[in-house]
């Protein structure tokens, strides 16, 4: 995926062979913690939807690469918050310094962080289920705010809805993400999901 700074992206992936990736409420919560842990140092979530067999993120990219030490510090903080929420005062501190072999001043990309997030989630699911192998499709996908076809105001003599006021890609993507569960007949209204 090719990311660049200060751009809105639609990032998505699904389970291998369209299989389920979320099985319990705890799976969804764990994935949300991983999203916070690995992606927030790079930008901001505008919208997201976790469906039983796939996910969608509308994500504003502020940085394409950051120092590993910045990501590590952030991820350790978020992981400790997760542990405190789950285990209360019995939460163990995060001790990963001895397991990190990369240079803390080297850069890590958003692509790598997304891959690490999916791998961490896959490892947890495989451990929970006694499985091996990949949970997600090999390649996560992303689309930026540009449309790949020639831009025209009319199509076949009719106004092209994509270029009417309030109908830009960002707005369309926002609605698509939020109405995904409605379109899949999981809930009658987006607010219910």
């Amino acid at each position: 995926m090719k990311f660049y700074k200060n751009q809105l992206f639609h990032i998505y992936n699904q389970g291998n062979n369209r299989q389920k990736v979320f099985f319990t409420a705890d799976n969804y919560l764990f994935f949300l913690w991983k999203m916070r842990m690995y992606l927030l140092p790079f930008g901001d979530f505008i919208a997201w939807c976790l469906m039983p067999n796939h996910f969608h993120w509308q994500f504003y990219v502020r940085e394409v690469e950051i120092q590993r030490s910045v990501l590590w510090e952030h991820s350790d903080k978020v992981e400790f918050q997760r542990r405190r929420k789950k285990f209360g005062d019995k939460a163990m501190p995060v001790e990963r310094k001895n397991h990190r072999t990369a240079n803390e001043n080297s850069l890590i990309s958003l692509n790598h962080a997304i891959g690490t997030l999916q791998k961490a989630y896959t490892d947890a699911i495989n451990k929970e289920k006694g499985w091996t192998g990949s949970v997600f499709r090999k390649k996560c996908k992303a689309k930026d705010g540009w449309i790949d076809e020639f831009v025209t105001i009319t199509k076949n003599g009719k106004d092209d809805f994509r270029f009417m006021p309030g109908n830009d890609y960002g707005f369309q993507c926002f609605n698509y993400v939020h109405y995904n569960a409605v379109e899949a007949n999981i809930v009658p209204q987006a607010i219910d999901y």
Side-chain angles (χ1 to χ4, degrees):
M1 296 175 290
K2 183 169 174 62
F3 293 110
Y4 39 94
K5 289 182 178 186
N6 303 317
Q7 176 65 37
L8 192 62
F9 284 87
H10 177 204
I11 304 168
Y12 53 98
N13 202 356
Q14 64 181 201
N16 245 348
N17 299 314
R18 297 185 175 153
Q19 294 173 323
K20 283 180 80 170
V21 293
F22 302 109
F23 303 92
T24 66
D26 284 342
N27 293 158
Y28 287 98
L29 292 173
F30 184 75
F31 194 80
L32 289 170
W33 279 106
K34 293 299 179 187
M35 287 167 48
R36 180 185 295 174
M37 181 184 294
Y38 290 108
L39 301 181
L40 288 184
F42 293 93
D44 301 297
F45 285 99
I46 306 305
W48 52 266
C49 182
L50 306 182
M51 298 290 284
N53 71 340
H54 67 282
F55 65 82
H56 293 276
W57 303 326
Q58 189 176 27
F59 191 74
Y60 183 79
V61 175
R62 282 185 279 109
E63 297 294 334
V64 176
E65 292 182 321
I66 60 173
Q67 284 189 318
R68 284 182 193 274
S69 60
V70 171
L71 181 62
W72 289 346
E73 182 180 337
H74 176 81
S75 65
D76 289 350
K77 179 181 169 186
V78 171
E79 176 57 19
F80 187 65
Q81 289 173 346
R82 184 187 75 81
R83 291 178 185 183
R84 290 285 305 234
K85 188 161 181 79
K86 187 170 183 175
F87 303 112
D89 292 336
K90 297 177 185 175
M92 300 292 291
V94 178
E95 296 181 16
R96 295 189 178 142
K97 291 183 179 163
N98 296 335
H99 301 288
R100 292 176 171 151
T101 57
N103 179 344
E104 68 180 35
N105 294 320
S106 65
L107 296 177
I108 187 167
S109 70
L110 175 57
N111 276 325
H112 189 95
I114 291 169
T116 302
L117 181 160
Q118 291 182 113
K119 183 181 180 329
Y121 181 77
T122 295
D123 289 347
I125 290 296
N126 283 345
K127 184 177 180 182
E128 178 183 298
K129 299 277 190 190
W131 292 351
T132 59
S134 180
V135 171
F136 293 101
R137 284 190 172 186
K138 186 175 182 180
K139 294 197 178 209
C140 193
K141 296 182 180 173
K143 292 182 182 179
D144 66 13
W146 299 103
I147 296 171
D148 292 335
E149 58 189 65
F150 183 75
V151 175
T152 180
I153 302 299
T154 60
K155 210 177 214 179
N156 299 327
K158 296 181 182 177
D159 288 339
D160 190 336
F161 71 93
R162 294 172 300 166
F163 303 107
M164 309 221 10
N167 240 6
D168 59 19
Y169 178 79
F171 179 74
Q172 290 297 319
C173 181
F174 183 83
N175 284 324
Y176 176 79
V177 169
H178 281 285
Y179 285 93
N180 212 258
V182 175
E183 291 294 320
N185 292 317
I186 294 174
V187 293
Q189 298 179 53
I191 192 126
D192 297 331
Y193 201 70

